[in-house]
Amino acid sequence: MSTLDDLRRIAARLPGSEQRATTGGAAWFVRGKLFAWECHPWPSIPVDMRAIIAAELVVGVKVADPIDALALVEMAPDVFLRTTTSWGEPKVAFRMQGIDEQHLAELVTEAWRVQAPKYLRAEFDAVAG
């Protein structure tokens, strides 16, 4: 099970990443673009998904394509939520209790890549090798 502290540590390693407090909780941005966030049970979220978000820690991340989100939901429907809201697409939300730290790192890093400018991705790749 991963925690917000794990997410903070992963995001801190990504060039240009910054954490901000938002109305719904913690959120991570790169050059002003949102790439990961703590989900909040907004009224616009379907009731069944809202109940999950209200009961446990759920995080959302940007994905490159809606197909990527669908694949994750189909791969692990007990971890990845089928839908939250239509705004901010493409994205996927997941229950942190079902994600290990390695998978969290992959999800957050890929979300960062979707939003990061090319020069920051190149900087990260040069350091990561």
Side-chain angles (χ1 to χ4, degrees):
M1 178 175 131
S2 295
T3 66
L4 278 181
D5 286 337
D6 295 328
L7 199 161
R8 284 183 184 99
R9 188 174 55 258
I10 292 162
R13 296 189 317 241
L14 302 169
S17 174
E18 66 175 288
Q19 181 181 338
R20 297 182 195 167
T22 65
T23 306
W28 290 265
F29 295 79
V30 58
R31 302 294 296 160
K33 293 182 177 181
L34 180 67
F35 69 91
W37 59 93
E38 182 179 2
C39 292
H40 184 76
W42 301 109
S44 57
I45 294 173
V47 174
D48 57 336
M49 298 294 109
R50 194 176 338 142
I52 293 169
I53 293 168
E56 62 187 271
L57 179 58
V58 175
V59 167
V61 292
K62 294 293 282 182
V63 293
D65 188 279
I67 299 295
D68 296 338
L70 182 60
L72 289 167
V73 171
E74 288 181 359
M75 177 184 72
D78 56 325
V79 175
F80 292 92
L81 305 187
R82 63 174 167 71
T83 187
T84 55
T85 61
S86 58
W87 44 268
E89 294 291 345
K91 65 182 179 202
V92 68
F94 52 89
R95 303 163 90 163
M96 288 285 275
Q97 70 182 9
I99 299 290
D100 64 31
E101 192 174 341
Q102 181 179 355
H103 196 187
L104 179 65
E106 291 171 13
L107 291 164
V108 171
T109 302
E110 285 308 309
W112 173 85
R113 282 184 173 288
V114 167
Q115 298 291 61
K118 191 177 203 176
Y119 76 94
L120 286 178
R121 292 191 313 262
E123 179 183 321
F124 177 75
D125 292 341
V127 172

